[in-house]
Amino acid sequence: FIRILKDRADRGDFDKSLIYEGDMRKMDFFHDEMFDLVRSNASLLHLPVICKGVMADQAVSEFHRVLKKDGVLYLLLKKGEG
């Protein structure tokens, strides 16, 4: 997906500086309460369940940190177990 975005930016569709590639568990490049909407599409399932407070918990904590007070968190999740 990042490659597709960079290709579109190279074509002039938008500024390449708007593309951030990083770890959803540690998004230090964004300020607290920066976004009105945080959207996670089928991403959390790629973080293994290890124990409370790590992996998916870290990501959700970061979503909360960068989300404005009355912002919306949109999560697309996989149904089932495991």
Side-chain angles (χ1 to χ4, degrees), residues 14-74:
F14 57 87
D15 188 335
K16 193 178 271 190
S17 69
L18 297 173
I19 301 170
Y20 293 87
E21 185 174 0
D23 188 328
M24 66 180 139
R25 296 169 297 162
K26 188 169 174 67
M27 299 186 291
D28 292 341
F29 36 83
F30 297 129
H31 301 290
D32 294 356
E33 298 184 20
M34 188 170 177
F35 297 103
D36 295 308
L37 168 72
V38 173
R39 183 175 174 152
S40 175
N41 290 345
S43 300
L44 290 176
L45 65 98
H46 296 288
L47 297 175
V49 176
I50 295 176
C51 64
K52 184 177 180 180
V54 298
M55 300 306 236
D57 285 356
Q58 290 171 310
V60 172
S61 179
E62 277 294 272
F63 298 161
H64 182 261
R65 182 186 66 77
V66 301
L67 192 61
K68 290 182 181 176
K69 182 182 177 213
D70 293 324
V72 174
L73 173 59
Y74 177 90

